[in-house]
Amino acid sequence: MTQTLLRVENISKRIGRSVAPRAASFSVEKAEIVAFIGENGSGTSTLMKTLSGIYKADTGQIYVNEKPIKITRPQDALASGIVFIHREPKLFDNLDVGSNVYLGREPNILGFINTSEMYRRSQVHLDRVGLAVDARSPLSQLSIAEQQLVAIARALSQNAKVIVMDQLTASLKFEETEHLLAVCKKLRSEGISIIYIAHHLHEIVEIADRVVDLREPALA
């Protein structure tokens, strides 16, 4: 029996003269990968930024576990288990990997950061995404593909239920893309849902359970 984890009804966001997308409605089941495709300007990225609280929707309603919620900022999305990851994730080059995974949520003892526990927990999530680096490693030494995996590990540490991946493979090499697709399949097997945005059909064919096709944006 399927479980509808996320349901979106008639969501839209006006950007200038364009309404992107045109009243989109879709659902995401638990442990499902839903791919979104659309031409440039179709509003796919705008929709995902709205879902993730980066933008505030002008119309529509979002439901999590069939309960209506309001998402007006990223913290609202995170509290509902929705995490957005861009192809150039927002991480901090001056920190190590573990500090990026738990930034702002560091485990502590009597008000002091428990660094050994932070690195231990970080390593667990890094292992889940198949990233063979020490949590103490400087983030600046990692490639873009590896930094994306750090961002996914951070999402896992935040107990993400739905991970939105926005064109992560746009600048990846073939083997890096294959690793990311394998990670997506693994996370699905663990009960995590993924909204996957890509322009490469072979990726969608390989991992998507369903496809949502967004059409042309509406002009005012």
Side-chain angles (χ1 to χ4, degrees), residues 104-121:
R105 300 171 294 111
E106 299 88 349
N108 66 83
I109 299 177
L110 300 176
F112 294 94
I113 294 176
N114 186 341
T115 53
S116 61
E117 179 63 13
M118 180 183 71
Y119 291 133
R120 186 194 69 78
R121 294 183 189 180

Side-chain angles (χ1 to χ4, degrees), residues 6 48-55 62 64 69-84 158-162 164:
L6 173 69
M48 296 308 146
K49 289 178 180 179
T50 303
L51 180 63
S52 306
I54 298 172
Y55 294 152
I62 299 171
V64 172
I69 63 168
K70 283 189 175 182
I71 296 180
T72 60
R73 54 181 185 160
Q75 292 91 330
D76 298 331
L78 182 58
S80 298
I82 303 169
V83 178
F84 177 86
Q158 295 168 321
N159 297 316
K161 297 179 178 65
V162 179
V164 180

Side-chain angles (χ1 to χ4, degrees), residues 95-101 115-116 118-127 130-142 146 150 153:
L95 299 178
D96 58 43
V97 171
S99 296
N100 270 281
V101 172
T115 53
S116 61
M118 180 183 71
Y119 291 133
R120 186 194 69 78
R121 294 183 189 180
S122 297
Q123 203 67 55
V124 170
H125 297 300
L126 294 172
D127 291 344
L131 183 55
V133 300
D134 191 293
R136 295 173 175 80
S137 301
L139 184 84
S140 58
Q141 295 181 356
L142 273 57
E146 291 171 328
V150 171

Side-chain angles (χ1 to χ4, degrees), residues 174-211:
F174 174 79
E175 59 272 17
E176 294 170 336
T177 295
E178 289 300 300
H179 181 83
L180 178 64
L181 297 181
V183 169
C184 290
K185 294 175 184 177
K186 180 177 183 292
L187 296 181
R188 176 175 57 189
S189 72
E190 296 177 2
I192 295 171
S193 301
I194 296 172
I195 294 177
Y196 189 86
I197 303 171
H199 294 304
H200 302 296
L201 184 59
H202 72 276
E203 298 174 22
I204 294 170
V205 170
E206 181 173 343
I207 67 168
D209 299 302
R210 287 189 294 120
V211 175

Side-chain angles (χ1 to χ4, degrees), residues 28-107:
V28 179
E29 308 298 320
K30 182 177 180 180
E32 181 181 42
I33 299 176
V34 179
F36 280 72
I37 59 175
E39 299 175 356
N40 289 335
S42 63
T44 307
S45 291
T46 299
L47 172 62
M48 296 308 146
K49 289 178 180 179
T50 303
L51 180 63
S52 306
I54 298 172
Y55 294 152
K56 182 180 178 181
D58 294 323
T59 67
Q61 180 63 60
I62 299 171
Y63 300 84
V64 172
N65 291 321
E66 296 301 341
K67 295 180 179 179
I69 63 168
K70 283 189 175 182
I71 296 180
T72 60
R73 54 181 185 160
Q75 292 91 330
D76 298 331
L78 182 58
S80 298
I82 303 169
V83 178
F84 177 86
I85 300 176
H86 191 262
R87 63 177 176 268
E88 295 180 359
K90 292 184 178 180
L91 300 172
F92 295 89
D93 285 345
N94 60 319
L95 299 178
D96 58 43
V97 171
S99 296
N100 270 281
V101 172
Y102 274 95
L103 184 63
R105 300 171 294 111
E106 299 88 349

